[in-house]
Amino acid sequence: MADYRSLSVKAYSSFDTVTKRYTGLHYYSVFYITESDGDTTVRNGGSIYELSLINNSSVPTPRQVSNITDACDFWYFLRGEKSFIGVSTAGGDRECDTDDDRAFFVTSDMSSSDSPVDMNDRFIILSYPVFHMGPVRGFIVYDEATGNLENCDPDLLSCSVLLSSVTDVFFVARDLDDDIHYICADGTLYRWIEPNLSEVAGITCDIAWLWVNGLYDNEAFYFVDSVRNIKRFDFTNEEVSTIYNGGDVDSFWPLSGLEDLQLTNTNIFFYTDRANGVVKAVPKSGGSVINIGDNIFIWGSWGNNLLYNRYPSFDTVQACIWNDDMGEGCSDANSYWAGLSYARDGTLIDGYIIPVYKFLRVEGATYTSDDVLGLVFGFAGGNLVAVDPSDLLSSGELLGSIDPDTVDISGAGVGNYILLGGFVATLTPVRDIYFVDLSTAGSLQRVTNTLGVDEVPIR
């Protein structure tokens, strides 16, 4: 997971683990690191604080979490009313991002006097049950010093050995319907069904199976192999098949990242020439290849739709979709996808996907650059609109106009209230923040406009 110095926590007001129905999805708190000397530009580490976002008619007071005083970054977290956070610290030299940085684990219920759990040479492989499916019951942890793969309690204080003499282990995927987790250990694929770890007969695995090489849904795990083909590991029969053998998937293999593959209800989408934005698709169970087009930047997927921005020329962009049933459709010229908001109340789709309330699209933006300085800023200004997930190319609700100096605005949130960030087109670009109420036409307003100061929403 990438390094973070601040992160927001979302939680449900209620969640039914059987029906997967939830209510009251909301931002619960924010965690952040404050440098010990108060100077956030100096990377010598600091303390961890949590700020509650629950409205109790009083101004919230930050609360210190653990007795760490040299925290550098958050490297792992599970979010909820009890959050689990991995923290890197500055180590003996009191300087972040050096070879002697150390790793610890804290939980949000720790006080300022509680010591963190030492995670040096220990790696979290997975948590169970599935994220946001109920309180965390435990972790599978690899102890590199002992070579043991362990099942640990939620505080990582009591562990039992599952496998010994392990040299290489990583998480693969989850069968979300049956709450089965798959792990690759020294070339053998294992299934974790709490509280037992068992071998999947006849299946070998390698670095291609690493979860960031692919995606999974409630049917299978799809990944890019070492010869640039796409394979499918089926959860029902626990067999591997090749669904695309073109040998030309353009990925960052073996650490490709999720942007290499996108899933819709029917198809899997992938680049064959990333530099020129060439995208193809194939049915998730295998079949004929579909040529989607070129000059495409994949933005995401939802239901039967792949969402992407197409660049017909260097100074033109169009917000487009590819629908599994109807093919391509695009909005007007100089439009692009800018964000989304998740539904406050709903039922998890396929048991794990939080439903989207609205998508955000910018219309009528203007390509901007500085020919003298040789700088390309992007697409500035335009109108922000909110569209329903069931009608992505509709005209939508006009939320307001973006200032002409703001480029490539984007944001995400929950319910009606969203913060967005956009770059300011200057010689040294910085970011400013906008606020919008999705339920109110014309509600878009700029929150910050401080010269030379970079300001971004905490996601």
Side-chain angles (χ1 to χ4, degrees):
M1 181 171 289
D3 291 339
Y4 296 84
R5 292 181 56 76
S6 61
L7 59 95
S8 63
V9 174
K10 301 181 186 72
Y12 302 124
S13 295
S14 67
F15 181 75
D16 188 317
T17 58
V18 176
T19 65
K20 308 301 186 289
R21 173 75 184 173
Y22 70 88
T23 63
L25 179 63
H26 60 281
Y27 285 98
Y28 182 79
S29 65
V30 171
F31 289 90
Y32 62 93
I33 296 171
T34 299
E35 295 290 342
S36 55
D37 60 2
D39 183 357
T40 58
T41 64
V42 179
R43 297 283 286 152
N44 60 0
S47 299
I48 303 168
Y49 288 88
E50 180 186 23
L51 182 67
S52 173
L53 300 179
I54 303 301
N55 182 6
N56 58 5
S57 301
S58 62
V59 178
T61 301
R63 182 186 67 84
Q64 186 172 340
V65 178
S66 82
N67 59 12
I68 292 177
T69 59
D70 58 350
C72 297
D73 299 287
F74 302 127
W75 52 263
Y76 176 91
F77 52 87
L78 285 178
R79 307 173 181 187
E81 292 188 10
K82 179 176 179 178
S83 297
F84 302 84
I85 306 169
V87 183
S88 64
T89 66
D93 63 1
R94 294 289 297 178
E95 184 177 345
C96 294
D97 305 319
T98 59
D99 290 341
D100 77 337
D101 285 4
R102 295 179 61 79
F104 294 91
F105 186 83
V106 303
T107 56
S108 60
D109 56 359
M110 287 183 173
S111 70
S112 60
S113 61
D114 288 329
S115 297
V117 178
D118 192 332
M119 291 298 291
N120 292 283
D121 298 321
R122 300 177 75 201
F123 303 91
I124 296 172
I125 304 302
L126 62 87
S127 66
Y128 61 88
V130 175
F131 172 48
H132 68 230
M133 301 284 270
V136 173
R137 292 194 295 270
F139 294 90
I140 304 301
V141 174
Y142 175 54
D143 190 324
E144 189 175 47
T146 64
N148 291 335
L149 186 68
E150 301 172 335
N151 177 26
C152 299
D153 69 10
D155 295 313
L156 296 174
L157 297 176
S158 177
C159 302
S160 59
V161 176
L162 299 170
L163 292 174
S164 58
S165 302
V166 177
T167 60
D168 184 43
V169 60
F170 52 84
F171 169 71
V172 173
R174 295 180 173 96
D175 177 352
L176 296 153
D177 281 345
D178 299 314
D179 201 16
I180 302 173
H181 300 67
Y182 291 95
I183 301 168
C184 182
D186 292 337
T188 298
L189 189 66
Y190 293 87
R191 71 177 74 82
W192 166 254
I193 305 175
E194 185 186 356
N196 299 309
L197 186 72
S198 57
E199 183 177 337
V200 179
I203 299 292
T204 58
C205 51
D206 57 25
I207 190 64
W209 289 69
L210 187 63
W211 69 275
V212 294
N213 286 334
L215 290 172
Y216 55 90
D217 56 17
N218 60 344
E219 296 179 351
F221 172 58
Y222 313 85
F223 61 97
V224 181
D225 68 13
S226 60
V227 290
R228 312 289 177 169
N229 294 325
I230 299 175
K231 291 187 175 180
R232 168 188 169 118
F233 172 67
D234 189 275
F235 293 144
T236 300
N237 57 29
E238 294 187 327
E239 294 179 350
V240 180
S241 61
T242 300
I243 60 173
Y244 177 75
N245 62 0
D248 58 355
V249 178
D250 190 352
S251 74
F252 299 121
W253 195 93
L255 296 175
S256 59
L258 300 183
E259 71 273 10
D260 279 347
L261 304 176
Q262 286 287 337
L263 300 176
T264 59
N265 291 342
T266 303
N267 296 312
I268 183 165
F269 296 79
F270 54 95
Y271 288 102
T272 58
D273 181 353
R274 185 181 299 273
N276 291 301
V278 179
V279 174
K280 295 181 180 180
V282 67
K284 291 193 291 186
S285 56
S288 300
V289 176
I290 307 166
N291 293 311
I292 306 302
D294 56 12
N295 299 312
I296 288 172
F297 177 81
I298 295 176
W299 189 82
S301 60
W302 176 255
N304 284 324
N305 299 290
L306 179 76
L307 286 74
Y308 52 94
N309 295 323
R310 182 190 287 278
Y311 294 84
S313 62
F314 74 92
D315 58 354
T316 305
V317 61
Q318 285 182 284
C320 297
I321 64 170
W322 181 278
N323 181 274
D324 287 338
D325 300 318
M326 296 181 289
E328 185 179 65
C330 293
S331 187
D332 295 333
N334 286 354
S335 60
Y336 61 89
W337 296 111
L340 57 81
S341 175
Y342 293 103
R344 281 182 52 82
D345 306 299
T347 300
L348 299 183
I349 299 170
D350 293 333
Y352 73 105
I353 300 173
I354 300 174
V356 173
Y357 167 51
K358 296 287 185 182
F359 283 96
L360 300 177
R361 194 176 67 228
V362 173
E363 300 280 356
T366 302
Y367 176 79
T368 180
S369 64
D370 190 316
D371 295 335
V372 175
L373 297 176
L375 298 176
V376 174
F377 296 123
F379 292 87
N383 296 319
L384 184 69
V385 299
V387 296
D388 192 88
S390 64
D391 193 4
L392 290 169
L393 295 180
S394 68
S395 57
E397 180 79 22
L398 178 59
L399 300 171
S401 297
I402 302 162
D403 289 347
D405 69 339
T406 305
V407 175
D408 298 339
I409 199 168
S410 64
V414 175
N416 285 319
Y417 306 123
I418 306 294
L419 292 177
L420 304 101
F423 284 92
V424 180
T426 62
L427 180 60
T428 55
V430 296
R431 289 164 291 185
D432 277 342
I433 297 174
Y434 285 73
F435 166 83
V436 67
D437 177 354
L438 300 184
S439 67
T440 304
S443 61
L444 182 68
Q445 56 183 301
R446 191 168 184 160
V447 177
T448 64
N449 192 5
T450 310
L451 184 64
V453 177
D454 198 29
E455 297 154 319
V456 297
I458 298 174
R459 304 289 189 226

